[in-house]
Amino acid sequence: MNIHTRVKSRRTEHHLGAERDHFDKQQLSSISKAINSTETPVKEKHARRIILGTHREKGAYTFWSYAQGFPLGTSSILCWKFCHVLHKVLRDGHHNVLQDCMRHHGSLAEVGKLWSHLHDKYGQLVALYTKLLCTKMEFHMKHTEIPPNLEVKDEVLERTAGTDINNVFQLTVEVFDYMDAELKLAETVLRQLNSSIAVTSLTSGQCRLAPLIQVVQDCSQLYHFNVKLLFKLHACLPADTLQGHRDRFREQFNSLKNFFNRAREMVYFKRLIQIPRLPDSPPNFLHAAALAKHVKPVVVIPDDDDQQDDDDDEPEPLIEVSDTPTPSLQSQPQVDIFDQAFGPPNGGFDERDLQIESLKSELELLRAELEKVKAEAQRYVTQLKSQINSLEAELEEQRVHKQRVMVENEQLRMELEATRRRNAEHESLQGTFLEAERRAQATEQRYNKLKEKHTELVASHAELLRKSADTVKMLSATQQTQEEVERTKQQLSFEVERVKQEAEMKMEEQKFELERMKRELEEKMAEVTRVKATLQSSEMTSLEMNSNMTALQAEKDRLMRSVREKEAELSSLRQEAQLQQSSLQQERERSSRELGELQGKLREKTSMEEQMKKKLLEEQFSLLQGTIAEAENIIQDAVAKLDDPLHIRCTSSPDYLINRAEATLSSIDKMKKGHADYLRNMEDAGGLLRSLTQFSHLAADTIVNGSATAHMAPTDQADRLTENCRGCATQSLQYLKELKSKNTLQRADPASVRVIVQKILHLGQELQPKGMDIRQEELGDLVDKEMAATSAAIEEAVRRIDQMMNQARKDTSGVKLEVNERILNSCTDLMKAIRMLVIASTDLQKEIVESGRGGASIREFYARNSRWTEGLISAAKAVGWGATELVDSADKVVLHTGKYEELIVCSHEIAASTAQLVAASKVKADRSSKRLGVLQQASRHVNEMAAKVVASTKTGQGDLEDKDPMDFSGMSLIKLKKEEMESQVKVLELETQLENERLRLGELRKKHYNLAGVPLEQVSERNGDASSSVQLARPLSMSPKPSKPPLGRKPTLSQKPNIPSKPGFK
């Protein structure tokens, strides 16, 4: 089992290695083909492969590993194409590409500086392009929420800008710089070229113009960012502060519009990109309402499926000998027809023509082989160049690896030396430890010897033994005291804050201990003297005691030295504590001074903030006064129109007046809420300003439309409506006057305005036509009824077709039975397709109603969208009627009492009716709805089935009609001429009848449009456009009129019957 797993892992590693090698070769091939010194544009397929490679490896490591080998400093064209590919990779590559590219930011900037000092056209372009790429990378590294393709939603831009106005200001400046770099490159490229077709069609011109596609994509997004950010700045800062921003935006707007217009006129860009159109003038940032008019420019890159040229990978021959016929064979049928009409020239073909044709074909084959050889040689050269680049890249990688290894060796050597030093120190410490251990052992041996000698004296001198034991205890106590001093020293090093108190305490304790030790030593010395006096009787005991005393004296000296050392350490610790205390005192004084300075600055900042707050309140109130003045002007202008003689001709409907009055009431609620918010926080008047602006426009609109509605109303109601409109204006001006003054601002109330507007609303409701609600409430039920009736009609049609199929099988046989079965089967398929379309339309209709009605009922939704509901009802009726007519026509055709053309026309009408149903359903459907896709698929299936019915009908008609063969072999030349003239007369008669029928058809359609409620002005447009819904459903019904030949000329040879050639007259 282990061997099997090992073999399997080796195979997996081999497979992954082979796949990696294939990926590297493919990337190298694409990079070498995309980036070269040939003055041609970068092919899209090579750039696409490079971008897909970044997504596969989740970065641009492979791209940069090969790109480092390019001689960017020697070839300006190669550097220009490299910048173009890098721009594409940054925009469409993996999101980790930006981090990989930032590692080479410095080298890219150095390349740009190098080419900026050289007098070369491409060199100047490369310098600008590298500056643009560096700016792009820096911007997106700073703002990581915005991807390099700049395609983000407005919410992401708002989140990036934040709420701090300083950040918004800085972001706006950075976007301006970004746009300047883009426009500078575009202007330089267009200045070197002109917009003539000759220049843009050359590869040299296309090589310069190709990167401008990415510039157009960037500029459209940056323009949108600038508009959004400037509107946000103007909402928070005064207009004078942003005058420089507006001037800079105006310059960029003019440059961008000029660039888009020039690029749109170039032939090269027309098939590659759809450039948006900018407005005639820049947005007015001083009016916040202008933001609603701003339309985001959208750049569309069309899918070009025709550009699948693989000539660089595998060149194909220009001529296929096996499939492509020679020119002589293609022209053979024309020669035969000519010879049949006029006879062969000189009695046959000329052999020299055949030789010329054969030589031409051989020449074409040789050219194809030559092109193949050239392509193969070019491919070999490209492969060799790519191999050279890869080898250079590997060499550079080996150099970098060598330097890295050298650095690692140096680090290892330094670590080895440090390890050796640590080992030496460890050995020295170990030797010291061994020496101390030996000393301890020697001391222990001496102590044992003394103890043995001491035990010999115990028997005779018990009192001396007790004294000696006390001395030993004193020594051990002294050693313990020394260990405590050491521990105290270590604690003092970590407890700097308490060092002073503890040092004093320890010093007193040490003094006490030293004094006690001195007293004990003196006592011991006295005892030793007494011992000496007692030991004088014995010489051996005296010698031993002398040696003991000598040892004790040495121990005493050692203890005294240790005591002096501890006293010196205590004094040094006391000095350090004093230094720490003085430094702490200085730090405390400096902190107190800084605290005083900070408190002074805080007081200054507080006073400045209070001044700014007062200024802000004054500015907000001045803005409110300006807005109120503008609102008063708007309402006064609306009141002035009531007495304007020119306004008497204006009329309006009660429905529109009700709509305006309801909108005014909702704006009054918003204005009341904004007023309350402003009273709570007078630093922010934005909500009140917006609601005041909306209220003034809606109130003026209500006044004007109320007066216009009064022109069409009865006298009594008209007078009341006009009086209420004037009262609305008076109350509105009174309310605005109260808002304008600080004294009356608190008690301003729009309740009186609301009462007047509600009166206008009630008058508009009284003026509404009666009976309309009842009809609109029935619309919802009528839609369901018509859809159910349509489904029932389709079911009945399927049943009748089945009956006709069974009857036809009983009554007919042979070709007629086959034709009838084919027609009825196609009709059955069409009915099934229509049934699926009706089901899909019903599902989509339910989804539209559920998503659009909100809290209203289904009937209210249908009543609110009455025009759309009527369209659905009309379309459903048309589908049911068409299905019934198709079954009737099929029945007549099977019974041989009708015409095939009726069946064809019914198929076209059904296709048109289903298209109308689809169009009515698509009006309110969501584009991303799955049920809409199902409905569109069902519509296409209906069109296919209708075309199948038409095709089967025409095929059956052709099979059943007997066509007499045209035999003109027995006719003379004069007889043929006479028959030809009669045929032309009959053709003219039929064309006249066709023209008259077309005129009649046009009049019928006009009458149908009039009955359907479509104005006559739109009939010509719908006829000219072939009514987009009908044109989708029945492309076969509007067949173009065949062009007729002139009367005085003979028809061409293709129009003549194929008659055998007569022998020439002799």
Side-chain angles (χ1 to χ4, degrees):
M1 187 64 184
N2 191 10
I3 296 174
H4 177 71
T5 305
R6 197 178 308 162
V7 172
K8 187 175 181 180
S9 62
R10 289 180 180 176
R11 289 179 180 175
T12 305
E13 293 175 358
H14 178 71
H15 177 70
L16 293 176
E19 185 178 357
R20 179 65 186 181
D21 293 339
H22 176 70
F23 171 75
D24 292 339
K25 290 179 181 179
Q26 187 179 18
Q27 287 294 301
L28 176 59
S29 176
S30 300
I31 292 171
S32 60
K33 290 176 182 178
I35 305 173
N36 50 47
S37 58
T38 307
E39 196 173 6
T40 55
V42 177
K43 290 188 177 180
E44 188 65 24
K45 64 175 183 178
H46 300 321
R48 191 186 306 115
R49 288 175 183 171
I50 296 172
I51 293 170
L52 291 176
T54 61
H55 285 281
R56 178 178 176 181
E57 68 175 359
K58 296 180 176 56
Y61 177 79
T62 303
F63 172 77
W64 279 106
S65 63
Y66 291 140
Q68 288 177 350
F70 287 124
L72 300 179
T74 58
S75 176
S76 59
I77 297 175
L78 185 140
C79 192
W80 172 255
K81 296 176 77 172
F82 167 77
C83 293
H84 184 194
V85 174
L86 181 58
H87 198 171
K88 280 178 168 288
V89 169
L90 280 173
R91 278 187 57 84
D92 302 328
H94 194 267
H95 58 86
N96 292 334
V97 168
L98 181 62
Q99 298 177 358
D100 295 337
C101 293
M102 278 301 296
R103 299 188 183 98
H104 304 274
H105 178 275
S107 60
L108 189 63
E110 291 177 0
V111 171
K113 291 180 181 178
L114 172 65
W115 284 109
S116 63
H117 298 302
L118 302 178
H119 299 286
D120 183 77
K121 291 184 177 180
Y122 270 104
Q124 299 299 322
L125 295 179
V126 167
L128 295 174
Y129 210 161
T130 53
K131 182 179 179 182
L132 168 60
L133 293 176
C134 292
T135 304
K136 186 181 186 68
M137 289 188 288
E138 293 169 359
F139 178 85
H140 293 291
M141 283 299 294
K142 184 176 182 181
H143 306 286
T144 55
E145 299 87 357
I146 303 176
N149 58 5
L150 298 171
E151 295 178 0
V152 293
K153 297 182 180 179
D154 294 341
E155 294 81 6
V156 179
L157 181 62
E158 291 289 339
R159 188 166 61 252
T160 304
T163 56
D164 189 359
I165 196 62
N166 295 322
N167 295 337
V168 180
F169 194 94
Q170 181 64 27
L171 180 60
T172 308
V173 174
E174 292 173 0
V175 174
F176 275 142
D177 297 338
Y178 200 163
M179 177 71 88
D180 285 336
E182 300 274 0
L183 293 175
K184 184 65 175 177
L185 176 63
E187 290 173 359
T188 308
V189 172
L190 295 179
R191 188 170 59 249
Q192 291 187 6
L193 303 173
N194 53 47
S195 60
S196 63
I197 300 176
V199 174
T200 57
S201 60
L202 296 176
T203 56
S204 59
Q206 293 177 2
C207 183
R208 290 187 175 96
L209 292 174
L212 296 188
I213 296 176
Q214 283 71 41
V215 174
V216 170
Q217 293 175 319
D218 290 347
C219 288
S220 63
Q221 296 290 337
L222 292 175
Y223 169 78
H224 179 64
F225 290 174
N226 279 332
V227 173
K228 288 287 186 180
L229 294 174
L230 284 177
F231 271 113
K232 188 170 183 179
L233 285 176
H234 281 80
C236 302
L237 296 177
D240 297 336
T241 307
L242 301 173
Q243 181 64 39
H245 277 55
R246 290 197 298 274
D247 296 339
R248 189 174 181 183
F249 178 82
R250 190 178 296 107
E251 294 176 359
Q252 289 188 353
F253 176 83
N254 296 329
S255 301
L256 183 61
K257 186 175 182 182
N258 185 24
F259 166 48
F260 278 7
N261 292 335
R262 291 187 62 185
R264 198 181 297 110
E265 295 173 357
M266 292 186 178
V267 181
Y268 175 71
F269 290 107
K270 289 183 178 179
R271 64 183 180 86
L272 297 177
I273 188 172
Q274 294 181 9
I275 302 175
R277 294 184 179 274
L278 297 181
D280 296 332
S281 60
N284 188 4
F285 298 106
L286 300 179
H287 295 283
L291 180 60
K293 301 179 182 178
H294 168 66
V295 179
K296 179 180 178 181
V298 179
V299 179
V300 179
I301 303 294
D303 294 330
D304 194 0
D305 297 330
D306 297 330
Q307 294 183 357
Q308 294 182 0
D309 46 43
D310 295 336
D311 50 351
D312 291 341
D313 298 334
E314 291 182 5
E316 298 177 358
L318 298 176
I319 297 177
E320 290 292 334
V321 181
S322 59
D323 297 334
T324 305
T326 60
S328 62
L329 294 177
Q330 292 177 356
S331 61
Q332 188 66 31
Q334 298 179 0
V335 175
D336 293 342
I337 296 173
F338 184 85
D339 292 344
Q340 291 175 5
F342 301 101
N346 297 329
F349 291 102
D350 193 353
E351 296 181 355
R352 289 178 294 178
D353 294 337
L354 295 176
Q355 292 178 359
I356 290 172
E357 294 297 335
S358 62
L359 291 174
K360 286 183 178 179
S361 62
E362 292 178 0
L363 181 60
E364 293 295 334
L365 291 175
L366 291 174
R367 286 178 180 174
E369 292 179 358
L370 181 60
E371 291 295 332
K372 187 184 297 183
V373 171
K374 288 182 178 179
E376 187 174 0
Q378 183 65 27
R379 188 170 70 253
Y380 288 156
V381 170
T382 305
Q383 291 178 357
L384 291 175
K385 287 182 178 179
S386 63
Q387 290 178 2
I388 291 172
N389 293 333
S390 63
L391 291 174
E392 290 179 352
E394 290 179 359
L395 180 59
E396 185 66 24
E397 186 177 358
Q398 292 294 332
R399 289 176 180 172
V400 174
H401 182 67
K402 179 182 177 181
Q403 293 178 358
R404 191 183 299 115
V405 169
M406 292 176 65
V407 171
E408 291 178 355
N409 290 335
E410 185 65 22
Q411 292 177 355
L412 291 173
R413 188 179 62 80
M414 295 173 65
E415 291 178 358
L416 181 60
E417 291 179 355
T419 305
R420 288 176 178 175
R421 287 195 299 270
R422 287 196 296 270
N423 290 335
E425 292 175 358
H426 179 69
E427 291 177 356
S428 61
L429 290 174
Q430 190 174 6
T432 306
F433 176 74
L434 292 174
E435 184 178 359
E437 188 176 2
R438 286 195 300 270
R439 290 179 180 177
Q441 291 177 357
T443 305
E444 187 177 0
Q445 291 176 1
R446 288 194 300 271
Y447 175 73
N448 291 331
K449 290 179 180 180
L450 289 173
K451 188 175 181 181
E452 291 174 357
K453 293 179 180 180
H454 186 263
T455 52
E456 294 177 356
L457 295 174
V458 167
S460 58
H461 305 285
E463 187 178 358
L464 182 62
L465 181 59
R466 288 193 300 270
K467 300 292 183 180
S468 178
D470 293 335
T471 304
V472 172
K473 289 180 181 180
M474 291 297 296
L475 290 175
S476 61
T478 306
Q479 290 179 356
Q480 290 178 359
T481 304
Q482 184 179 0
E483 292 175 356
E484 289 177 359
V485 171
E486 290 290 336
R487 285 195 300 271
T488 305
K489 179 182 177 182
Q490 293 178 358
Q491 292 176 359
L492 287 173
S493 63
F494 293 102
E495 299 176 356
V496 178
E497 298 293 335
R498 296 175 296 174
V499 66
K500 183 177 181 181
Q501 297 177 0
E502 292 181 359
E504 292 176 355
M505 292 174 63
K506 292 295 179 183
M507 183 175 64
E508 291 176 356
E509 291 178 358
Q510 290 294 331
K511 287 181 179 179
F512 179 77
E513 288 290 335
L514 288 174
E515 290 176 356
R516 186 173 61 83
M517 289 172 62
K518 287 180 179 179
R519 287 194 301 269
E520 291 178 353
L521 286 174
E522 289 176 354
E523 292 175 357
K524 295 299 178 183
M525 290 177 67
E527 291 177 356
V528 169
T529 53
R530 287 196 301 271
V531 169
K532 286 182 178 180
T534 57
L535 292 178
Q536 287 178 358
S537 61
S538 179
E539 293 179 355
M540 294 177 65
T541 56
S542 63
L543 292 174
E544 292 176 357
M545 289 301 296
N546 285 332
S547 62
N548 192 5
M549 289 300 296
T550 303
L552 290 174
Q553 185 67 30
E555 187 68 20
K556 175 186 173 182
D557 296 338
R558 185 176 64 80
L559 290 175
M560 293 298 292
R561 285 196 302 272
S562 64
V563 169
R564 285 193 295 271
E565 291 176 359
K566 295 303 177 183
E567 290 178 352
E569 290 179 0
L570 288 174
S571 62
S572 63
L573 289 174
R574 191 181 295 108
Q575 293 177 358
E576 290 179 0
Q578 291 176 357
L579 292 175
Q580 288 289 338
Q581 187 177 5
S582 61
S583 62
L584 287 174
Q585 184 67 23
Q586 294 176 359
E587 186 69 23
R588 191 180 298 107
E589 293 176 357
R590 185 174 61 82
S591 299
S592 61
R593 288 196 302 272
E594 291 179 355
L595 180 61
E597 293 175 357
L598 290 175
Q599 288 177 352
K601 292 181 180 179
L602 180 61
R603 286 191 294 272
E604 293 177 358
K605 187 176 181 181
T606 304
S607 61
M608 189 179 296
E609 286 181 354
E610 292 178 355
Q611 295 176 1
M612 292 295 292
K613 187 175 181 180
K614 293 180 181 178
K615 185 178 180 182
L616 178 61
L617 293 176
E618 293 175 357
E619 289 178 354
Q620 292 291 325
F621 190 71
S622 63
L623 286 174
L624 179 61
Q625 288 181 336
T627 304
I628 293 172
E630 187 66 26
E632 290 176 346
N633 293 333
I634 293 172
I635 295 176
Q636 289 172 359
D637 181 64
V639 174
K641 288 183 181 179
L642 298 180
D643 300 328
D644 191 356
L646 298 177
H647 186 63
I648 298 176
R649 299 180 181 179
C650 298
T651 60
S652 180
S653 64
D655 294 333
Y656 189 69
L657 177 60
I658 291 171
N659 178 269
R660 294 293 88 192
E662 290 176 350
T664 305
L665 289 174
S666 64
S667 68
I668 291 173
D669 294 336
K670 294 180 181 178
M671 182 172 61
K672 189 173 181 180
K673 183 178 180 300
H675 184 205
D677 295 338
Y678 178 67
L679 291 178
R680 283 195 301 270
N681 183 15
M682 303 190 71
E683 296 180 359
D684 185 11
L688 183 57
L689 294 179
R690 288 191 293 270
S691 60
L692 276 174
T693 304
Q694 184 183 14
F695 166 73
S696 61
H697 286 88
L698 291 175
D701 201 4
T702 304
I703 293 169
V704 173
N705 283 281
S707 176
T709 307
H711 296 160
M712 301 293 292
T715 306
D716 187 16
Q717 293 176 340
D719 293 340
R720 283 192 293 156
L721 186 58
T722 305
E723 183 180 356
N724 286 326
C725 289
R726 295 183 186 276
C728 178
T730 303
Q731 295 297 331
S732 299
L733 292 175
Q734 180 64 28
Y735 174 68
L736 293 176
K737 184 178 179 182
E738 292 177 355
L739 287 178
K740 202 171 183 179
S741 175
K742 290 185 178 180
N743 298 326
T744 59
L745 178 63
Q746 299 285 342
R747 64 173 182 269
D749 189 7
S752 58
V753 183
R754 174 186 289 277
V755 173
I756 295 295
V757 175
Q758 287 177 349
K759 291 181 180 180
I760 295 174
L761 177 61
H762 293 325
L763 286 173
Q765 291 175 352
E766 291 177 2
L767 291 174
Q768 260 187 327
K770 306 301 180 182
M772 182 66 70
D773 296 337
I774 299 174
R775 188 182 67 83
Q776 289 182 352
E777 289 178 358
E778 295 175 354
L779 284 177
D781 297 334
L782 192 57
V783 170
D784 296 334
K785 291 178 182 179
E786 288 300 331
M787 295 301 287
T790 303
S791 300
I794 292 170
E795 294 291 341
E796 179 65 22
V798 173
R799 188 185 61 79
R800 288 184 59 189
I801 290 172
D802 292 337
Q803 292 179 356
M804 286 187 284
M805 178 74 75
N806 297 328
Q807 189 67 30
R809 288 172 180 170
K810 294 177 181 179
D811 298 340
T812 58
S813 62
V815 178
K816 291 184 179 180
L817 177 59
E818 183 181 352
V819 171
N820 292 335
E821 286 182 349
R822 191 185 309 140
I823 293 174
L824 293 177
N825 287 331
S826 61
C827 291
T828 303
D829 294 338
L830 178 58
M831 288 300 141
K832 292 179 180 178
I834 294 173
R835 180 165 54 186
M836 296 303 295
L837 183 133
V838 170
I839 294 172
S841 177
T842 305
D843 295 339
L844 181 60
Q845 175 189 344
K846 291 179 180 178
E847 181 181 342
I848 292 171
V849 172
E850 290 300 327
S851 62
R853 68 187 181 95
S857 63
I858 297 177
R859 287 187 176 183
E860 292 176 354
F861 176 79
Y862 282 124
R864 189 168 61 248
N865 302 276
S866 59
R867 294 293 297 273
W868 175 70
T869 308
E870 291 172 358
L872 277 178
I873 295 171
S874 176
K877 286 183 178 180
V879 172
W881 176 83
T884 306
E885 289 297 321
L886 178 68
V887 174
D888 294 339
S889 300
D891 191 9
K892 292 178 181 180
V893 169
V894 171
L895 297 176
H896 303 289
T897 59
K899 297 180 181 181
Y900 290 96
E901 287 78 6
E902 293 179 1
L903 192 58
I904 294 174
V905 171
C906 287
S907 301
H908 292 166
E909 288 299 328
I910 284 180
S913 301
T914 54
Q916 182 183 356
L917 182 61
V918 173
S921 301
K922 286 173 60 178
V923 169
K924 290 188 174 297
D926 188 5
R927 292 186 178 181
S928 61
S929 176
K930 295 182 180 179
R931 294 183 178 178
L932 178 60
V934 173
L935 179 62
Q936 292 175 345
Q937 183 66 28
S939 175
R940 288 192 289 271
H941 187 52
V942 169
N943 291 334
E944 293 174 0
M945 293 300 103
K948 185 178 179 182
V949 172
V950 173
S952 62
T953 304
K954 290 183 177 180
T955 305
Q957 184 180 6
D959 293 341
L960 294 177
E961 289 181 355
D962 296 331
K963 294 183 179 179
D964 297 331
M966 295 182 184
D967 186 11
F968 305 111
S969 60
M971 293 184 182
S972 62
L973 182 61
I974 301 300
K975 183 66 174 175
L976 284 172
K977 185 65 177 179
K978 184 178 179 180
E979 291 290 336
E980 182 181 346
M981 293 177 65
E982 291 177 357
S983 179
Q984 288 184 2
V985 170
K986 196 173 292 184
V987 167
L988 291 175
E989 291 176 354
L990 293 174
E991 287 179 351
T992 304
Q993 293 179 6
L994 178 62
E995 189 67 29
N996 292 333
E997 287 298 326
R998 281 186 173 148
L999 292 175
R1000 184 169 177 270
L1001 177 62
E1003 293 298 327
L1004 290 173
R1005 286 180 176 171
K1006 287 182 181 180
K1007 187 63 177 176
H1008 177 265
Y1009 282 126
N1010 288 332
L1011 292 176
V1014 182
L1016 287 174
E1017 291 80 3
Q1018 299 180 9
V1019 174
S1020 59
E1021 299 177 2
R1022 296 198 179 189
N1023 287 336
D1025 297 338
S1027 181
S1028 62
S1029 62
V1030 178
Q1031 194 175 32
L1032 289 171
R1034 45 177 186 179
L1036 299 175
S1037 64
M1038 301 297 291
S1039 59
K1041 181 180 177 182
S1043 60
K1044 53 185 178 180
L1047 293 176
R1049 295 173 57 187
K1050 289 185 178 181
T1052 59
L1053 290 176
S1054 60
Q1055 295 176 338
K1056 284 189 175 184
N1058 189 10
I1059 57 176
S1061 60
K1062 293 184 179 181
F1065 292 100
K1066 294 184 180 179

